[in-house]
Amino acid sequence: MSDAVARLYQAFVSQDPAGAIAVVEEAKGAGAQRGALFDDLYAPSLAMLGGAWASRALDEVAFAQASVVAEQIGPFVVPPAAAPDTGITIVVGCAASDRHDIRKNVIAAALKEAGHRVVDLGADARPTEFVEKVAQTGARIAIVCAELTGTVASVRRVRELLAADGRDDVVVLAAGGPFDADGKIARELGANGVVLGAESALRLVARIASDLFAPRPDEDA
Amino acid sequence: MSEPRPVFPVGVAYHAIDDERRSWSDWYDRDADADFASLAEHRISLARVFVSWHCLEPQVGQYDEDAAERLDRVVAAAGAHGIRLIVTFFADDRVAELMDVAWGKRRDPRTDDYLIGRESALVQRIVNRYRADDTIFAWDLGNEAFLSGFTSAEDLDRWAGAMRDAVREVDPDRPIMLSADPETLFRSSRVDATHALDRFELGASHVTSAYVAFAAEGPVTSGPATYIDGYLLRCASRGLPVLMDEVGAVSLDASVGEEAAAVRTSMWSGLMNGAAGVVLRRWRDMETERREPYFRDPFEFPVGVVDTNGSPKPVLAEVRRFARVALALDRRRYEPAAEDVAVLLPAERYHALPSMAGLYGPRSCLQSYIRAKEAHLPVTLVREGEEIGRLAALIVPSVAELEPGTWEALAAWVQDGGSLVMSYGGGDPPAEVRGLFGIEFLGDHGRRETFACRVAQSDLLPGLVPFDCALPLQHHALLGQAGATVVATDATGSPLVTLQRHGQGRAVFVAAPIERALAQGDPWAAPDAAASFVRTVYASVADACGAAGSVRCDRPGVEVAHFLGEADDILLLLNHSPEKTVATLSFDRAVASVADVRGGAAAPVEGGAFGVPLGANGVAALRVNFA
Amino acid sequence: MAPSRSSQTRLAEGLARQGQIDPAVDACFQGLRLDERDVLAHCLLAELMLAGDFYDEAIAEATLAIEFDPDCAPAYLALGLAYDRRGGMWDQAVLVWHELAEVVPDLVTAHVQLGEAFWAAAFEEEAVEAWRAALALDPKEPRATYNLAVAALEREGMATALPQFRKAGELDPSQDELFFALAGDGDGVALARGGDLFGALDSARAVLDERPDEASALALASYAYLKQEGTNEATALALRALECEPGVPGALYCLGVAYSRRPGLDRHAARVFRALTKAAPRHPMPHVLLAESLLGLQRFDVARSAYRTAVRLDPACVRARFGLAAVLLTEGRHAEASWEVRRAAYHDTRRQGLFWKLFDAYAEGVEDA
């Protein structure tokens, strides 16, 4: 790789973006992983650039021009910002008559950022909407958010409707204040687990994902 | 009320109207049977009900028998389900216009002689109606919303005396209470109710939103907010059994989970700090009109333990779990470990502005209490002027002025073997300081922005470590030695902690108002070093005089209450933090096994110490068998 | 009504400015014994009570001052702050901040506080409008930006909120203060601190001409490029500095900030900032920067710990408080999140010392008693 580092540096200094791309492609072709491209190829060549400026091997203008080329190469070596699509569809919504949607928004956004396909039903979503969307999208996970004790019954209703629809395989997760206070409520309503917040949602979905294509997912997620 | 009841009662306020759109005439106009059945199912054994003078005496001297029968039905329903009642005569619940007799012509029922006469007649009528009915647990003269309308202690005294006499003429035995928390009432109305309260058999303590805003404004699941119930309970306990009253949410900001955690903390604080029982603020959520979300009356508490449809909220599950543990703590068989350490509540906290003592004092005392709890000391509170002979250690936090008689009493007590810790509160200390503490007061250095400690004698107060931390101090006493040993100094060598022995007794002086500094800074973000300093000073002093208790815990944020039995002891633990933890406990004696009081096999203990896992604001109740 | 300034009030004012609360309170009361309608004395008492966090007393005094003079801007400020800090009085707070924003329209804090009062009362659109008004007056107002970031989080999640946190953070001088604390003293650093980035670069260049591997000079040069949006140049110089001297704190800072500007490099930024927290454990900002990188990686639990460390090190670190609020929101802990925002406001408004500015302006029409 050290030869490649030197060549990439040369490409920066020579203002040769095509040459720089070729170096990167060659490294990829040799089996270098995306993460290693940045750490083992791009960063050391930038360090060489810095050293050259420090020792006056490059003047200000050349340094700036080389940096422009380095910027152009960035997308080839920087790990992607967006997470890859996981292929997992999750239906998220607030329980019927519940308009407290902050937690739902945060959870849905976190799941989307993690690469999952999120169908957001919004606030005050009827249980039938959950079931319809599950049927339409083939989702295997539904998250029902309820912040009031008066709206938690939606979780049971969603579970019942899914069962009636022959969809016992869908994992129903509950989220909201009443479930934080007493995890047993979720179990009594037929939920498979409780989502406490964004990170909890990510962890739970990751765990469930490994079972998604099993014939019958674990009931006590 | 001379002997503790074996079962720790859990109660709830059962309001007359649960929908603000209803009228005053709808007072208890419903079948209470289902509600009381639900109370009983959830192990609630006590309920507060509210008399409506407006309904019962619609015309002067004329009593409405229909209204009286409504109250009969409520009492009968309670009795049918084994619920005992506290009957509150004069209350303001902000909804049911209980006190608004039309013929009262806007006279003040607290001070108008004629109305007081009518009130006495009403009281006697009700007491007479139910005096033979065991369903009635106690008579309660008034709630704090009503009592906060008094403008002088004399008026309160006079009114309370008249009502009490009226009750006693008819019922000589049943306990009478006045539901005023002396601290919160004084804060809101500057009326000192202690003299009035001394007449009654049962006291009350409760947190109000105004007091929380003054002393413990912050998240309900951490910091001072989790200690305020226990603190106020102890403030109210002056030889009286005290009900921890109005337990429940004081704000609408908390989530359902936070509310459940806060109520759990309050109830357990009550059990662990000597309450005679716990009464929750409200049974059923109040249905309110659509209103601006921030329009809230400070004496209006619409949040209950069941929702408007009667469905239980998570907090009710907490109540049920708590009641089960409370049942296991048979107070005939277990008594609390001796509380030989106390924080002094100074008389100066009653001083009005421009004296700032009345504002600083309660906060300093609360901070001192919290640190003593964090040091796991069996700590109580004692008012200035009360007897201190039974105490082994006394903490006087950041006080500027003590009464002349107090200095004499302290000197005599220390001479007799007491251990005193006092921190400088500003101003010029009296000459007695020299004799008691062996120090010369050279002046007040004034404000400092950092608190520094350098340890001169590490074995006198073991555990003290040197540190510097950013903590503004309003005062710092410059001290010369007059016989005392300097235990620690500030960064410049000026004495910070001194120790003077008097025979078996000792007097420790801290040259800065450290408790006040912790209270006035950000109490939720007290610098660790400063908080640890205070804990160490208190713990070392208590330890040296044998008052530190026999249970050690390695987590300051876990409160431990120790109940001694003949064959075994009971330990109650409360995590004051919203993060889970494991508390390691150790004892002076060898422990053989530990079991959950609710049942289950005993786990053997090796080595005398064991760990107790606690969830966020979690609790544990353990039965400990010794080898 | 033109306020008059009695000698007692002057004495009280002098004591209050020195932070001598008890004697100042005493002096105010003595002044009020002479004239119970002394607006300035009531105003001072409100501020003194506020300084001691005695909110009900502050509200009472400020209310009296306003009753006697409805144009008393410092009393409005004290009243609004007392309502906000006390909590649970948002309706009154909204009225007061509205009034103050009319009496002193260019007072940025009034708009920020108005926004926070609206937000607490669940009037989200009005809150956002108020914060935008604050930014229109001062585009660098950090709390308005942080509040907007938290609002964005509640609607659209962390991916939208995080860039706003970072943008506000870079405008926040406390981030630059971290670099200067790490870089120590030196001519070049002094020039950078004074805003002369070209001068700082020249100074670094002069050192490097003699010693091209001097890590601190490389770090200073990296900082200068960073501040001039030369992110790649900054990255190059920081990497070179760390090659020459692994772990040099200034270079770690520059490299971490450069990485955090680039989507996709949060993992790298987190690694660098973690090293920085070890190099400068007593400074809160490295923990804040680490926390923000962790937010980018959706490691909310660990981010929370980092923010709590920052708050423990500096309870007045507004950026840490808002970041902590954001994390708590991801966990559904709304009341705690709201508390952190309120504490940020508490420390920020205390630091600003606005009361004395308004008091001096108000008292300009004073005649000596």
Side-chain angles (χ1 to χ4, degrees), chain C residues 207-227:
Chain C
V207 172
L208 291 166
D209 281 345
E210 289 182 25
R211 299 185 299 281
D213 294 343
E214 176 61 48
S216 56
L218 285 163
L220 179 60
S222 176
Y223 175 81
Y225 271 108
L226 203 61
K227 293 298 285 180

Side-chain angles (χ1 to χ4, degrees), chain C residues 268-349:
Chain C
H268 293 73
R271 211 163 51 212
V272 171
F273 286 133
R274 198 180 297 284
L276 189 59
T277 62
K278 293 185 168 68
R282 310 299 312 161
H283 203 290
M285 196 51 63
H287 299 274
V288 173
L289 295 169
L290 170 62
E292 286 172 6
S293 309
L294 292 166
L295 291 184
L297 297 169
Q298 298 192 304
R299 303 274 311 279
F300 300 119
D301 276 354
V302 190
R304 188 184 71 230
S305 299
Y307 276 127
R308 285 218 191 275
T309 303
V311 170
R312 218 173 15 251
L313 290 168
D314 179 8
C317 182
V318 169
R319 188 168 168 184
R321 293 269 187 190
F322 272 93
L324 186 52
V327 173
L328 290 167
L329 280 171
T330 69
E331 297 170 8
R333 290 156 76 166
H334 300 276
E336 285 177 74
S338 164
W339 168 250
E340 294 300 333
V341 170
R342 285 170 60 202
R343 288 318 280 179
Y346 173 89
H347 287 289
D348 199 34
T349 51

Side-chain angles (χ1 to χ4, degrees), chain B residues 83-416:
Chain B
I83 310 287
R84 301 194 72 197
L85 296 178
I86 298 172
V87 177
T88 302
F89 293 113
F90 302 108
D92 181 357
D93 71 348
R94 298 306 207 242
V95 178
E97 298 171 32
L98 301 168
M99 301 279 304
D100 292 355
V101 285
W103 48 266
K105 293 187 171 40
R106 298 173 187 272
R107 287 187 250 196
D108 187 352
R110 299 166 188 87
T111 52
D112 183 86
D113 284 336
Y114 177 69
L115 288 185
I116 289 174
R118 294 309 320 154
E119 289 160 39
S120 299
L122 176 72
V123 161
Q124 288 192 323
R125 194 175 178 85
I126 293 171
V127 172
N128 192 44
R129 197 174 180 102
Y130 300 113
R131 67 174 170 177
D133 193 333
D134 262 348
T135 304
I136 308 298
F137 169 70
W139 306 112
D140 177 13
L141 299 185
N143 77 346
E144 190 153 317
F146 168 70
L147 297 169
S148 65
F150 280 94
T151 54
S152 78
E154 292 73 29
D155 285 344
L156 175 61
D157 221 10
R158 192 167 75 91
W159 179 88
M163 294 307 118
R164 180 189 161 78
D165 291 345
V167 172
R168 279 287 172 256
E169 269 184 41
V170 181
D171 183 349
D173 299 317
R174 205 173 257 109
I176 310 175
M177 65 187 293
L178 189 67
S179 288
D181 180 307
E183 280 294 302
T184 61
L185 187 70
F186 183 74
R187 171 73 191 156
S188 68
S189 64
R190 296 209 65 80
V191 168
D192 182 1
T194 48
H195 188 256
L197 291 168
D198 279 343
R199 301 164 182 257
F200 297 97
E201 290 77 40
L202 201 51
S205 75
H206 50 238
V207 174
T208 61
S209 62
Y211 201 85
V212 165
F214 163 62
E217 175 62 26
V220 296
T221 52
S222 63
T226 61
Y227 288 95
I228 194 89
D229 294 87
Y231 173 76
L232 288 175
L233 174 67
R234 288 192 178 273
C235 285
S237 304
R238 293 160 18 259
L240 285 177
V242 175
L243 283 179
M244 180 182 272
D245 199 7
E246 300 207 2
V247 171
V250 292
S251 82
L252 301 176
D253 303 335
S255 70
V256 172
E258 283 161 335
E259 191 190 315
V263 168
R264 176 171 66 236
T265 299
S266 300
M267 291 189 298
W268 280 73
S269 290
L271 183 60
M272 293 164 73
N273 287 287
V278 156
V279 180
L280 299 158
R281 197 182 294 284
R282 192 177 182 98
W283 171 242
R284 185 185 292 260
D285 278 354
M286 189 164 72
E287 287 219 46
T288 58
E289 301 233 18
R290 186 166 165 72
R291 58 169 82 171
E292 301 302 335
Y294 42 64
F295 178 68
R296 236 171 36 232
D297 180 311
F299 277 117
E300 177 191 47
F301 297 105
V303 180
V305 297
V306 300
D307 66 16
T308 52
N309 299 318
S311 304
K313 294 158 73 173
V315 67
L316 198 53
E318 291 294 338
V319 172
R320 203 182 169 127
R321 281 191 280 267
F322 171 76
R324 193 171 159 203
V325 169
L327 202 63
L329 189 61
D330 182 344
R331 290 186 292 169
R332 287 168 304 195
R333 291 180 49 215
Y334 297 95
E335 55 176 63
E339 290 169 344
D340 295 334
V341 182
V343 172
L344 184 88
L345 303 177
E348 67 172 12
R349 81 194 188 289
Y350 288 112
H351 294 177
L353 287 167
S355 166
M356 295 291 286
L359 295 179
Y360 292 138
R363 286 182 180 173
S364 302
C365 291
L366 173 60
Q367 265 304 310
S368 179
Y369 173 81
I370 292 170
R371 300 305 158 199
K373 280 287 185 183
E374 288 180 344
H376 303 107
L377 301 179
V379 65
T380 184
L381 303 177
V382 68
R383 284 182 155 73
E384 189 174 351
E386 286 179 356
E387 179 54 48
I388 57 174
R390 63 179 175 82
L391 299 171
L394 183 67
I395 301 164
V396 181
S398 308
V399 174
E401 228 179 271
L402 289 173
E403 312 273 281
T406 304
W407 286 108
E408 273 178 50
L410 288 177
W413 172 76
V414 169
Q415 201 62 43
D416 280 345

Side-chain angles (χ1 to χ4, degrees), chain A residues 131-192:
Chain A
V131 178
E132 279 163 17
K133 274 296 171 213
V134 161
Q136 270 174 30
T137 61
R140 298 291 296 274
I141 304 174
I143 302 178
V144 184
C145 301
E147 295 287 356
L148 306 172
T149 49
T151 57
V152 299
S154 273
V155 175
R156 174 181 284 123
R157 195 72 192 115
V158 168
R159 171 56 80 201
E160 285 169 355
L161 288 172
L162 285 169
D165 221 29
R167 293 306 310 272
D168 279 336
D169 59 328
V170 173
V171 177
V172 175
L173 301 174
F179 309 109
D180 295 343
D182 189 352
K184 280 200 211 122
I185 296 177
R187 195 179 285 271
E188 283 161 14
L189 293 169
N192 297 103

